[in-house]
Amino acid sequence: MELTHQLSGPLKQLRLSGMLETLVARTRQAVDGKWSYEEFLARLVEDEVERRAQKQLVQRLRRANVQTSKTLEGFDFSFNPGINRQQILALASGEYIRQKRNVLICGPAGVGKSHLAQALGHEACRQGYPVVYVNTHKLVQHLHSGRADGSQERRLESYLRPAVLILDDFGLRALSAQGAEDLYDVICERYEQGSIVLTSNRAPTEWPELFGNPLLASAGLDRLAHHAETVVMTGRSYRAAGRRGSGEPLPSADQNEAANEG
């Protein structure tokens, strides 16, 4: 304890206070294991590196706005065996991020699209990439309201900066003319500059009609789909299965579509 007290001030001054958390335990291990001074120092440095890495991961996840419970470890592949597990694990490696390609996740409500998208975001954060997760309708609203106070460019930049932008529930609500233009700007500016992970209850063939403007739709969707990897998810709804197990009535198709999590 005396050693910890002596080192507390200097380590904090050097911003190495994390070493204090394991100093006592490592000292005991060093004595019991007859470690050399070099090995003892190496273990303390490793502890500090790990502590900082975990702190940075927590910060990236908080900025990303992904739910920490939505991970690949927590995704039940056995519930819908038709989901291509190998494809998902390959995406988790982050190669699509390094190649600045997009991922398009399509399927009916409740099959786990939002969970999977956030899980890919979680994996990206683990690999050190900045991520932003946002509902597509909220992104459009955020950009639109920025026109009123002159912050639209700054808000747009916040969606262009991260290596991975997750757009959830694309097509759940109709786009206004201005909303279509704002979404096009995001897609266009990120083209070959950063990855988009997009989820949608609608089939890609239905996407052009969401923009209203055929030229805008063609230009935007061409960039979105270029070199993109498509993940098609089919099967039962997690939420419907949960309600069935609880004895509650199953939601209607309209209620399922209105649910926020794909």
Side-chain angles (χ1 to χ4, degrees):
M1 294 297 294
E2 182 179 349
L3 178 61
T4 302
H5 180 72
Q6 290 176 347
L7 292 177
S8 177
L11 287 176
K12 288 180 179 179
Q13 187 175 0
L14 293 170
R15 298 184 179 180
L16 296 172
S17 57
M19 288 185 175
L20 295 171
E21 298 176 8
T22 57
L23 180 59
V24 174
R26 288 304 192 191
T27 301
R28 289 174 183 159
Q29 286 180 304
V31 172
D32 294 342
K34 298 181 180 180
W35 292 353
S36 66
Y37 292 119
E38 291 85 355
E39 187 175 5
F40 175 60
L41 178 59
R43 295 296 180 88
L44 284 177
V45 172
E46 289 171 3
D47 292 341
E48 176 66 14
V49 170
E50 177 63 21
R51 186 192 70 84
R52 292 192 181 193
Q54 287 300 314
K55 183 178 180 181
Q56 290 168 357
L57 174 58
V58 170
Q59 291 174 341
R60 282 193 296 272
L61 289 171
R62 185 175 66 249
R63 292 174 187 145
N65 197 36
V66 299
Q67 297 182 45
T68 55
S69 62
K70 304 298 185 182
T71 63
L72 282 182
E73 293 87 348
F75 189 84
D76 185 5
F77 285 95
S78 64
F79 186 80
N80 285 319
I83 296 174
N84 190 334
R85 180 170 186 161
Q86 292 306 312
Q87 181 187 25
I88 305 308
L89 296 180
L91 287 170
S93 72
E95 186 61 27
Y96 75 96
I97 306 173
R98 292 181 281 278
Q99 294 182 2
K100 297 179 172 56
R101 295 188 292 110
N102 299 330
V103 178
L104 312 178
I105 305 175
C106 310
V111 294
K113 298 185 302 298
S114 293
H115 184 143
L116 182 56
Q118 292 187 72
L120 291 177
H122 201 291
E123 292 299 318
C125 286
R126 287 177 176 175
Q127 295 173 38
Y129 293 106
V131 176
V132 167
Y133 166 86
V134 63
N135 176 279
T136 304
H137 180 68
K138 290 184 178 180
L139 174 143
V140 170
Q141 284 186 318
H142 187 233
L143 291 176
H144 178 72
S145 61
R147 297 179 184 278
D149 59 11
S151 64
Q152 199 266 349
E153 288 297 325
R154 176 175 55 80
R155 296 186 184 199
L156 175 61
E157 181 60 29
S158 70
Y159 297 118
L160 304 181
R161 192 179 304 116
V164 180
L165 174 65
I166 303 174
L167 296 178
D168 201 12
D169 283 334
F170 170 66
L172 195 61
R173 301 190 188 190
L175 291 169
S176 65
Q178 187 61 68
E181 290 184 15
D182 287 338
L183 184 58
Y184 169 80
D185 286 341
V186 172
I187 294 172
C188 183
E189 292 294 330
R190 289 190 62 86
Y191 177 60
E192 296 186 335
Q193 301 299 314
S195 298
I196 293 176
V197 175
L198 179 145
T199 77
S200 181
N201 287 354
R202 295 177 180 264
T205 53
E206 300 179 63
W207 293 356
E209 65 187 52
L210 299 173
F211 281 81
N213 183 326
L215 293 177
L216 204 65
S218 177
L221 294 176
D222 182 64
R223 288 172 171 81
L224 183 66
H226 187 223
H227 296 318
E229 181 156 0
T230 301
V231 178
V232 178
M233 300 179 66
T234 58
R236 298 176 295 163
S237 166
Y238 287 94
R239 289 189 296 274
R243 287 177 179 270
R244 186 182 299 113
S246 65
E248 297 180 21
L250 293 177
S252 66
D254 290 340
Q255 288 173 322
N256 255 340
E257 183 173 330
N260 187 40
E261 180 185 342

